[in-house]
Every structure is written in structure tokens, then in C-alpha cells.
């Protein structure tokens, strides 16, 4: 199934089903918003699938992604991993940091979740001097997960897959990372692509609790990277188990993969500017690529290999706050 949330004057918007080719949509007759559907998923899923089948038979109206909010406009919890080893190693180079001794545990932080930008919203930020950066990620949205859930059990709780831009202010991040207390100023609200999908929509490209698809990024109209999401050192199932070790995870928890990155980054490109700058440090001894300026635009989209749309595109401009 595919979902979008359309603006209706409320903070959580109105849940719509979206057709398999992203051309049509229809408001759900059974769930008012996505959060409500997730909280009653076992009872709600079969009803939503009936609605989805009717929509794919042509019972809908044209879908306009520009009218969509983030599929989950606000969430009880946003947890972001850093599950791509090549990205972690490059960030250590960029920030001149010692290797992280995490005892083999996944890297993860808890970030701002009271809002997610829509895919077309202008992103307001205070200063270009903060090192404005995009981070292309995949994410999942969960139903309720009990404390102590293991990785095998965790797979049954992955209900929705989303595409995320995890905005970062690198100049502030370098300072906050060294405090040991985590990020606050360096991590503004994230953005979500307009369409959220159930794992079966990916077919064979959802495997081992990973998205086996390229995430294409274009910065000011020029291709910047197209790294594949499969090469996570810990799959989403393992990230869930890590997060649920000492707490229950409420329905509607959003969990990110971290910046998608591949070891062949010189060929495939990167999903954030900081990674590109780290590569330039390795190759030339100094970074050459500047961070974003006000007026810059970033577009990111993952499709099936044949070009069939999935999440739609995040296409946003950075503006002065």
C-alpha cells in the first residue's frame, strides 16, 4: 500500500491512499490519519488494503504531491541511526575525530520529532555560516514495539518505509559532537518524501530489512550522488532491537538509516556534502566543495530500477529563516 497525508487544516492532516503508480489518491474511509492507522494496525490493515485495491481499479482523484504534508507530519519519536560504515569513516576524517569505540553497538541518536517538513516546503535556517547540509536517508515507521524485542521479531513491526532528508548544520555539529551530549542546534527538522509505502511495494528490493535501491540526489540541478541503500552494517531490524533494548517504542516511531553511503563513493557519489568534503580531504588535502547557500535547491528520489515511482521526490529550497 501507499499513503500520503493531505493538508486539511489540522496538524496531522488527512490520510489518503495513493495508487501504485502515484497518479491517483483517495481519502481513507477507515483511518483519519496515519498515526491512528499505526496505533490500530492489525485491525486497520485489511480494511486499508480493500481501499487500496479499489483505488488501483480507478476509484480516485489525481494525486498532487505538492498538496501533501509529510506522510507523518509529527511523530512521538524520531531515532536516526548511522548504519553505513563508509559514511562513518569519512565523517571521522571530515571532523578529525578518533574512531568511535561503540562496542559493536549500532550508532543512533534521538532527534527532533514534533514536525517533519513536507517534500516541497522551503527550509528556513538562520545562517549560511552554520554549514548547511542535506543527508539522504531511508527510514521506517513502526507499530508498537515492546522492550526487549529482538531483531527477528522486530521485522514484524516494520509497517511503513519512507524517504528522508535529515538536514544538518555541520559547523555546529562539529562542536556538539565533541561535547559528548549529542545534537541540538545542529539538527533542525527533517523532511519526508510525499508518499510512504508498505514493504511489499518494493518487491525484491526490500531484503534483509534493507532498501536495495539507489537514492538519487541532484543539487542545483546537477547529479551529486546515487548511493544504494542495501549496504547497511546493521539492518533496520537490528536498529529496532537496539532502540528497544531498554524502552518500549510507541506506534509511529520513525527510525532512519543514516546517510546512505557506499564504499565506491568516488564512482557513485555521496548523499551529503560533508562526505564529499571528506573525500576531497583524502584526495587533495583540503575540502573544495562549499556547503549550501540560501536559494540552493536539493532534490532526492528513489525509484524502482525500471523508473516506477515509489516515494516521490523531495525537492526543496533553503531560505533565510
Amino acid at each position: 500500500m501507499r499513503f500520503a497525508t493531505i493538508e486539511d487544516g489540522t496538524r496531522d492532516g488527512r490520510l489518503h491512499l495513493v495508487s501504485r503508480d502515484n497518479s491517483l489518491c483517495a481519502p481513507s474511509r477507515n483511518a483519519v490519519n496515519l498515526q491512528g492507522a499505526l496505533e490500530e494496525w492489525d485491525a486497520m490493515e485489511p480494511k486499508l488494503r480493500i481501499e487500496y485495491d479499489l483505488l488501483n481499479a480507478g476509484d480516485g482523484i489525481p494525486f498532487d504531491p505538492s498538496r501533501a504534508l509529510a506522510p507523518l507530519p509529527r511523530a512521538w519519536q524520531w531515532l536516526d541511526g548511522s548504519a553505513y560504515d563508509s559514511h562513518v569513516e569519512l565523517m571521522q576524517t571530515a571532523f578529525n575525530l578518533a574512531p568511535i569505540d561503540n562496542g559493536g553497538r549500532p550508532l543512533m541518536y534521538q532527534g527532533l520529532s514534533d514536525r517533519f517538513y513536507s517534500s516541497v516546503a522551503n527550509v528556513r535556517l538562520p545562517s549560511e555560516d552554520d554549514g548547511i547540509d542535506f543527508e539522504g536517508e531511508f527510514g521506517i515507521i513502526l507499530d508498537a514495539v515492546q522492550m526487549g524485542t529482538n531483531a527477528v521479531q522486530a521485522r514484524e513491526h516494520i509497517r511503513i518505509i519512507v524517504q528522508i532528508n535529515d538536514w544538518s548544520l555541520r559547523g555546529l555539529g562539529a562542536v556538539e559532537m565533541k561535547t559528548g551530549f549529542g545534537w541540538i542546534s545542529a539538527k533542525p527538522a527533517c523532511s519526508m518524501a510525499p508518499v510512504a509505502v508498505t514493504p511489499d511495494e518494493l518487491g525484491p528490493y526490500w531484503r534483509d530489512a534493507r532498501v536495495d535501491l539507489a537514492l538519487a540526489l541532484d543539487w542545483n540541478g546537477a547529479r551529486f550522488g546515487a548511493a544504494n541503500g542495501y549496504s547497511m552494517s546493521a539492518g533496520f531490524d537490528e536498529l529496532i532491537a537496539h532502540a528497544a533494548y531498554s524502552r518500549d517504542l510507541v506506534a509511529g516511531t520513525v527510525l532512519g538509516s543514516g546517510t546512505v553511503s557506499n564504499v565506491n563513493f568516488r564512482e557513485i557519489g555521496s548523499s551529503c556534502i560533508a562526505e564529499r568534503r571528506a573525500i576531497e580531504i583524502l584526495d587533495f588535502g583540503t575540502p573544495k566543495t562549499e556547503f549550501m547557500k540560501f536559494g540552493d535547491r536539493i532534490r532526492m528520489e528513489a525509484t524502482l530500477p525500471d523508473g516506477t515511482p515509489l516515494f516521490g521526490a523531495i525537492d526543496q529550497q533553503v531560505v533565510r529563516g
Side-chain angles (χ1 to χ4, degrees), residues 148-210:
T149 293
N150 64 37
V152 173
Q153 297 165 335
R155 294 190 181 196
E156 300 303 316
H157 295 281
I158 300 172
R159 299 309 187 187
I160 304 290
I161 304 172
V162 291
Q163 179 186 298
I164 295 171
N165 185 359
D166 175 31
W167 291 96
S168 291
L169 302 179
R170 298 297 188 182
L172 304 178
V175 175
E176 292 186 328
M177 285 177 70
K178 292 177 181 178
T179 68
F181 276 85
W183 288 299
I184 295 294
S185 299
K187 286 293 186 179
C190 301
S191 307
M192 279 189 192
V195 180
V197 308
T198 50
D200 57 292
E201 292 289 321
L202 274 65
Y205 304 103
W206 173 251
R207 60 188 184 98
D208 303 323
R210 295 161 167 86

Side-chain angles (χ1 to χ4, degrees), residues 82 100-108 233-234 238-239 241-243 245-246:
S82 186
I100 299 171
D101 181 11
N102 61 337
R105 296 162 63 83
L107 299 175
M108 187 177 293
S233 57
E238 296 168 279
L239 295 181
H242 173 66
Y245 173 77
S246 60

Side-chain angles (χ1 to χ4, degrees), residues 41-147:
W41 188 261
D42 288 342
M44 196 66 67
E45 182 183 23
K47 299 175 184 178
L48 293 171
R49 288 203 176 274
I50 292 172
E51 294 185 50
Y52 187 57
D53 290 342
L54 289 172
L55 176 62
N56 283 300
D59 184 15
I61 60 174
F63 174 54
D64 179 1
S66 69
R67 292 187 56 227
L69 304 173
L72 199 62
R74 54 177 177 166
W76 289 106
Q77 186 165 224
W78 156 237
L79 302 172
D80 196 18
S82 186
Y84 296 91
D85 288 347
S86 56
H87 176 74
V88 173
E89 292 164 6
L90 285 167
M91 289 303 94
Q92 291 167 354
T93 299
F95 291 128
N96 193 27
L97 299 171
I100 299 171
D101 181 11
N102 61 337
R105 296 162 63 83
L107 299 175
M108 187 177 293
Y109 77 94
Q110 185 162 346
L112 184 159
S113 65
D114 67 342
R115 72 203 60 195
F116 287 88
Y117 284 114
S118 78
S119 63
V120 296
N122 287 339
V123 177
R124 298 183 302 106
L125 294 169
S127 173
E128 293 176 348
D129 296 336
D130 292 332
I132 302 168
D133 200 355
F134 47 82
E135 293 191 60
E137 305 191 11
F138 293 109
I140 56 172
I141 307 179
L142 306 173
D143 65 7
V145 180
Q146 290 186 345
M147 182 176 68

Side-chain angles (χ1 to χ4, degrees), residues 205-242:
Y205 304 103
W206 173 251
R207 60 188 184 98
D208 303 323
R210 295 161 167 86
V211 177
D212 189 10
L213 294 170
L215 179 55
L217 287 87
D218 297 294
W219 180 14
N220 291 332
R223 179 54 48 90
F224 191 82
N228 184 283
Y230 183 73
S231 59
M232 298 169 72
S233 57
F236 281 113
D237 50 354
E238 296 168 279
L239 295 181
I240 296 167
H242 173 66

Side-chain angles (χ1 to χ4, degrees), residues 259-276:
T259 306
V260 179
S261 179
N262 298 159
V263 293
N264 60 334
F265 41 73
R266 289 185 179 85
E267 304 161 28
I268 206 71
S270 298
S271 300
C272 70
I273 301 170
E275 187 171 296
R276 171 74 63 83

